[in-house]
Amino acid sequence: IVLVGATGDLARKYLWQGFYNLYLEHESPSVKLQFYAAARIEREAGSKKIKEILQQSVKCINDDDNCESKLAAFKSQVIYHKLKVDEDYNVLCRILNKEEPSNKGGRLFYLSVPPSAYSSIAKSIHSHCRPLNDQQFLRVVFEKPFGEDLSSAKKLAKTLAEYFQEEEIFRIDHYLGKTGVQQILKFRAELDEQYDQLWNKNHVDRVEIVLKEKDNCKGRTRFYNQYGVIRDVMQNHMTELMLMVAMEMPINLSSISDVQKKKQKILSDIRQPNLHSSVIAQYKDYRKHCGNEKCSSNQNIQTPTFAVVKLYVDNARWRDVPFIFISGKDLDERTAYIRVVFKNQDYSVGHSQSEQCPISQVVFHIQGGSLASPALVVSNNLPQILKFSDWNLIQPEHVLYGCQGNNNQVFTPTKSHDAYSVLINGVFNDKRDMFIGTDNLLASWRVWTPLINQLNSQLPKLYDRDHLGVLNFTLKGRGISFTQNTLEQDYKIDENKAFLGKPLVSGPLEVVISKLARRIIKCADDAVSRQGVFHMALSGGSSPIPLFDELVVSHPEIPWYATHVWLVDERCVALTDSASNFKSIHDNLLQHVQIPFFNIHPMPVSLKKSFCHETDEGPEIYEQQMKSLLVNQTMDFVLLGAGTDGHVASLFSNSPSLDQTSAWVAISHSMNLEPKGKRMTFTLDFINNAEEIAVLIHGEKKAAIVRKIGYSQASPQLPVMLIQPKHGKLVWYID
């Protein structure tokens, strides 16, 4: 057994004790364990340092009378070797070849080193340290982080695959060795008959996965600054916890391949998280700590030390059940738990005098908080548990997870094991189900990398331990937001403002979009109440995408069942073309909401001949479709944007279609704006007949055109300035 990085902090705190525990459990006349401590310092200094570390860090863990003699024997078997360059590995492994029996045993290398050193060490182990024959094993242990994103994880995985077989690679996630974590699959296996029927979307309201730390990042900001809270704990520890709760139980829990396949299936079913399903924050002293430790000033402004992320699993068991990840530094307590909260489907008629806590929950308590050890907490109003593994039933008197202790069954383990000792023993015994496989690692990064990239452009909210209320959050549809919304407080929207004589909603983009989304909901509800249906025409392009995100994530109350969606304009390309307005609206909105298929009306730009061919009469067909469905022969709501040249819909300056008054739909031509060519568009006259029109303009690229039309400097008037409803309402939404 070779510990590379034997003088580091992790080795001091956990690994040497773990190896001693391994020695106590397995050393016997038939099993010989030889330990090698390895670091980059010279042999004499290294040997002295290892002796000091073993003296300070390795302790007797029981009352065995022979413990001291066993500890002395263990220390005597630890030999120091300098491992700095490739030749050092050659020297060590020539010694191993002489000492090892030729027909059994194996070699275990534990790399407690930075990931940047993995490649060169892996090459040296492969070149010089492979066992002499196939009957001996080689096992190489790697500590996280396993990459910074999907690309770097793939690169590292490819490098390791050049030197090792998959069964030789053991990626450690120390959380998987914790007693409180190992109870999860035990619970699901032992209590399957009682709880599997409840373990689904019909009964579970939400799953909370929480990992809170009191410590801040002082002393390790140079590392933390590269990662932040999502990379540090959510992509690995917390995702693994989620998989244990959510995966389908394999027939055989001891089958490594079955367990890995079940986990990978859940990972593939996770809906991609985005900015709307996450919030981030940073404790106030982080930048000061970062400055003192000379970490990158470019990154530290945006490094999140707190985050809440809401994930959904799109499968039959868990669809629409939120899995809420909460983690942060410099908080009020150190604790970790998984809380499965069930729907409360019991109702009382009249006044209830029951002291029974109304919350129904199963809590896998991992560490910290108000309990001194790991625990399983189960509400009394759930199926009762007569026995759980070899754990003891206790009677806590204090409040646990919102309920008095006597409202719960609480089980605690007879003995709690050190996580690293468990995992080191797992490597020794080849229990690969306790470690992270390559496929699952990459699948997890596929879930998290897009969100990490999106958050790179976001500034985290600031907090401190004395004012943690600013971190309170609200679940909003499929989205999430801080309860104290600074933007809403700082920017009071004055809808009495005017732009070109019409109402103006202005402010930060998030607020403008929120106001517009709420207005669409109000118009939809009014129309459905009045006439049973709501007809809405949408523009394409990039401008409405933030609105589409808001509608999907935060407003499930929209009456999609009674909503018809039409297009304001379309480019004369295939509906699957990246330039198609319909494709943009479909990909960003329609595919994510429950709107009937027959309520979606793309423009008929491709019929018999070619795109927008005159003889196909596409505009006439679309007009007839609208006339057959529109209640008052007009749109209830039209969403428009404005181009940098002042065009609106696909109505350009000097376009003949601007003057059409008899037709609802026409063919126009883009002469200068890409993509050039034919387009199909609502006519100006038809747009101005709408009940309500919203013009959404945002972004720096649109600032010049807003100033131009706002000061009426355009002569002749630009198309967007010709939006003047005949009897309806026009509101400008400008960030």
Side-chain angles (χ1 to χ4, degrees):
I1 297 172
V2 182
L3 174 54
V4 185
T7 60
D9 286 343
L10 185 66
R12 288 172 182 268
K13 292 179 180 178
Y14 303 109
L15 300 184
W16 281 120
Q17 184 68 50
F19 283 123
Y20 175 53
N21 294 342
L22 182 74
Y23 171 83
L24 289 177
E25 184 170 347
H26 292 286
E27 178 77 8
S28 68
S30 61
V31 178
K32 168 77 171 169
L33 299 179
Q34 180 63 60
F35 296 90
Y36 292 89
R40 297 169 63 85
I41 56 179
E42 295 300 325
R43 183 163 188 167
E44 184 176 343
S47 297
K48 181 179 179 181
K49 193 165 189 176
I50 287 298
K51 286 182 181 179
E52 293 173 356
I53 291 172
L54 294 177
Q55 182 65 33
Q56 296 168 2
S57 302
V58 184
K59 307 296 180 184
C60 291
I61 57 173
N62 52 42
D63 298 328
D64 187 348
D65 293 337
N66 297 322
C67 179
E68 290 299 334
S69 62
K70 290 178 181 177
L71 181 55
F74 167 73
K75 292 176 181 178
S76 69
Q77 291 193 30
V78 178
I79 302 171
Y80 179 81
H81 274 267
K82 185 184 105 173
L83 290 181
K84 186 174 182 180
V85 297
D86 182 68
E87 180 57 26
D88 295 333
Y89 286 85
N90 187 20
V91 172
L92 171 63
C93 293
R94 283 204 304 266
I95 296 172
L96 299 186
N97 291 339
K98 293 178 182 178
E99 293 181 352
E100 284 183 354
S102 59
N103 60 348
K104 59 183 178 179
R107 298 174 182 180
L108 190 162
F109 285 80
Y110 195 119
L111 307 191
S112 180
V113 297
S116 57
Y118 285 168
S119 179
S120 61
I121 295 176
K123 183 178 180 181
S124 294
I125 293 173
H126 172 72
S127 300
H128 307 298
C129 301
R130 283 202 162 275
L132 297 175
N133 61 63
D134 292 340
Q135 294 181 1
Q136 296 178 321
F137 64 78
L138 174 65
R139 296 172 190 156
V140 186
V141 182
F142 298 88
E143 281 279 350
K144 81 174 186 74
F146 310 122
E148 299 177 12
D149 52 22
L150 179 58
S151 176
S152 59
K154 280 183 175 180
K155 184 178 179 181
L156 179 57
K158 182 179 179 181
T159 297
L160 297 184
E162 292 177 7
Y163 304 117
F164 306 123
Q165 300 296 319
E166 178 70 14
E167 61 269 18
E168 296 174 331
I169 298 172
F170 290 75
R171 295 180 184 87
I172 274 201
D173 181 334
H174 76 274
Y175 254 70
L176 299 187
K178 289 180 178 288
T179 303
V181 171
Q182 295 194 323
Q183 67 167 307
I184 300 170
L185 292 182
K186 284 183 182 179
F187 173 90
R188 296 194 61 195
E190 292 181 17
L191 301 169
D192 175 73
E193 289 188 9
Q194 292 168 269
Y195 278 88
D196 186 63
Q197 61 183 340
L198 302 178
W199 216 250
N200 58 62
K201 64 183 181 183
N202 296 325
H203 300 281
V204 176
D205 180 72
R206 66 186 184 276
V207 179
E208 301 169 8
I209 303 174
V210 178
L211 201 168
K212 296 166 65 177
E213 295 282 354
K214 288 187 75 171
D215 292 341
N216 56 37
C217 300
K218 187 177 182 180
R220 63 189 296 261
T221 56
R222 296 188 71 176
F223 163 81
Y224 200 86
N225 214 42
Q226 300 177 57
Y227 294 93
V229 64
I230 294 178
R231 288 185 176 100
D232 189 38
V233 296
M234 288 190 173
Q235 178 274 327
N236 36 67
H237 304 327
M238 299 176 77
T239 299
E240 283 295 320
L241 299 180
M242 174 188 177
L243 298 180
M244 291 182 178
V245 171
M247 74 179 191
E248 297 298 319
M249 289 294 286
I251 295 174
N252 182 7
L253 263 178
S254 62
S255 169
I256 298 165
S257 62
D258 284 356
V259 172
Q260 298 288 13
K261 286 177 182 177
K262 297 297 186 183
K263 288 184 176 182
Q264 193 165 0
K265 181 62 173 68
I266 290 293
L267 286 167
S268 67
D269 288 338
I270 293 176
R271 187 185 307 156
Q272 198 73 65
N274 56 37
L275 294 179
H276 298 282
S277 55
S278 61
V279 291
I280 57 173
Q282 182 187 90
Y283 71 81
K284 286 184 177 179
D285 286 339
Y286 180 81
R287 298 179 200 180
K288 181 176 73 175
H289 293 161
C290 217
N292 294 341
E293 295 163 29
K294 296 181 171 57
C295 57
S296 171
S297 59
N298 293 330
Q299 290 178 312
N300 64 42
I301 294 176
Q302 294 171 293
T303 302
T305 61
F306 173 89
V308 183
V309 179
K310 185 161 61 167
L311 296 183
Y312 287 94
V313 179
D314 282 331
N315 66 14
R317 183 185 287 270
W318 296 110
R319 183 168 287 111
D320 294 330
V321 176
F323 287 75
I324 305 164
F325 288 40
I326 307 169
S327 185
K329 296 281 189 180
D330 203 24
L331 299 177
D332 57 333
E333 62 177 342
R334 178 179 181 267
T335 189
Y337 60 85
I338 304 166
R339 186 173 179 231
V340 182
V341 182
F342 293 85
K343 297 175 181 177
N344 188 349
Q345 298 173 328
D346 296 329
Y347 297 89
S348 298
V349 178
H351 297 289
S352 173
Q353 301 299 319
S354 173
E355 295 182 0
Q356 178 72 35
C357 180
I359 303 173
S360 300
Q361 59 189 349
V362 170
V363 182
F364 303 105
H365 181 85
I366 299 169
Q367 65 186 26
S370 60
L371 288 167
S373 70
L376 171 67
V377 181
V378 180
S379 297
N380 287 339
N381 51 19
L382 290 172
Q384 294 298 285
I385 301 172
L386 300 178
K387 183 178 185 299
F388 174 58
S389 193
D390 58 350
W391 289 31
N392 300 317
L393 181 63
I394 65 170
Q395 295 294 330
E397 297 180 358
H398 54 280
V399 175
L400 287 176
Y401 297 100
C403 295
Q404 285 292 335
N406 60 6
N407 281 283
N408 305 294
Q409 284 187 290
V410 181
F411 294 85
T412 58
T414 53
K415 185 177 182 180
S416 187
H417 300 281
D418 167 67
Y420 276 99
S421 296
V422 170
L423 292 172
I424 287 171
N425 195 60
V427 179
F428 182 82
N429 290 300
D430 198 27
K431 293 184 178 179
R432 294 188 51 79
D433 57 307
M434 300 169 67
F435 302 90
I436 311 299
T438 300
D439 290 341
N440 286 359
L441 171 69
L442 299 182
S444 176
W445 276 119
R446 286 189 189 96
V447 171
W448 290 101
T449 297
L451 175 62
I452 290 169
N453 291 338
Q454 291 175 44
L455 289 171
N456 286 338
S457 62
Q458 303 296 304
L459 285 176
K461 191 171 192 172
L462 296 180
Y463 69 95
D464 61 53
R465 196 180 293 180
D466 295 329
H467 302 90
L468 293 179
V470 300
L471 298 180
N472 293 342
F473 59 90
T474 301
L475 303 182
K476 190 178 177 185
R478 291 189 175 180
I480 194 168
S481 63
F482 284 123
T483 304
Q484 294 182 16
N485 192 323
T486 305
L487 287 174
E488 291 282 5
Q489 292 173 348
D490 293 350
Y491 296 89
K492 302 299 183 183
I493 304 303
D494 182 4
E495 296 191 18
N496 293 320
K497 291 180 180 178
F499 186 78
L500 297 183
K502 298 296 182 181
L504 167 67
V505 176
S506 65
L509 180 60
E510 296 93 327
V511 178
V512 172
I513 291 295
S514 178
K515 289 281 184 179
L516 177 52
R518 279 179 269 176
R519 183 59 196 169
I520 289 174
I521 295 168
K522 178 68 167 58
C523 290
D525 288 341
D526 289 348
V528 172
S529 297
R530 184 177 65 251
Q531 61 197 26
V533 67
F534 174 57
H535 290 277
M536 173 171 60
L538 301 176
S539 296
S542 59
S543 291
I545 291 177
L547 172 66
F548 297 160
D549 289 341
E550 176 76 6
L551 293 175
V552 169
V553 171
S554 301
H555 296 287
E557 69 272 27
I558 295 177
W560 290 111
Y561 66 93
T563 297
H564 285 254
V565 172
W566 304 84
L567 266 69
V568 171
D569 64 322
E570 180 60 282
R571 290 145 180 174
C572 294
V573 297
L575 298 184
T576 55
D577 192 293
S578 60
S580 166
N581 285 341
F582 176 77
K583 177 174 172 56
S584 176
I585 295 170
H586 172 271
D587 291 354
N588 293 289
L589 175 65
L590 299 179
Q591 70 169 342
H592 303 294
V593 298
Q594 295 182 342
I595 183 171
F597 174 79
F598 292 105
N599 289 13
I600 301 171
H601 307 283
M603 281 185 158
V605 292
S606 176
L607 295 173
K608 297 178 182 178
K609 300 290 184 181
S610 62
F611 294 114
C612 297
H613 195 277
E614 292 180 4
T615 59
D616 283 340
E617 298 182 341
E620 290 80 4
I621 291 173
Y622 205 52
E623 181 174 330
Q624 287 304 314
Q625 289 177 6
M626 289 189 286
K627 285 182 175 178
S628 68
L629 292 172
L630 297 187
V631 176
N632 298 312
Q633 301 297 283
T634 185
M635 283 291 166
D636 297 311
F637 193 93
V638 175
L639 174 67
L640 301 174
T644 54
D645 60 351
H647 82 271
V648 67
S650 282
L651 300 170
F652 302 92
S653 296
N654 302 318
S655 171
S657 49
L658 281 172
D659 301 323
Q660 291 194 22
T661 56
S662 59
W664 290 12
V665 187
I667 298 295
S668 66
H669 292 78
S670 173
M671 307 301 293
N672 301 310
L673 189 69
E674 295 292 343
K676 297 176 182 178
K678 290 182 180 180
R679 303 190 182 195
M680 191 176 295
T681 181
F682 281 0
T683 61
L684 181 64
D685 187 71
F686 180 65
I687 292 172
N688 283 331
N689 269 320
E691 293 292 334
E692 184 157 336
I693 303 170
V695 182
L696 172 63
I697 310 176
H698 64 85
E700 292 182 10
K701 293 181 179 179
K702 303 291 180 69
I705 194 65
V706 169
R707 285 194 296 269
K708 190 173 183 178
I709 61 180
Y711 291 106
S712 301
Q713 294 175 347
S715 181
Q717 286 188 314
L718 296 171
V720 70
M721 299 170 69
L722 301 175
I723 301 300
Q724 299 169 3
K726 299 175 182 178
H727 55 79
K729 181 179 181 181
L730 168 62
V731 181
W732 297 84
Y733 294 84
I734 303 175
D735 75 337

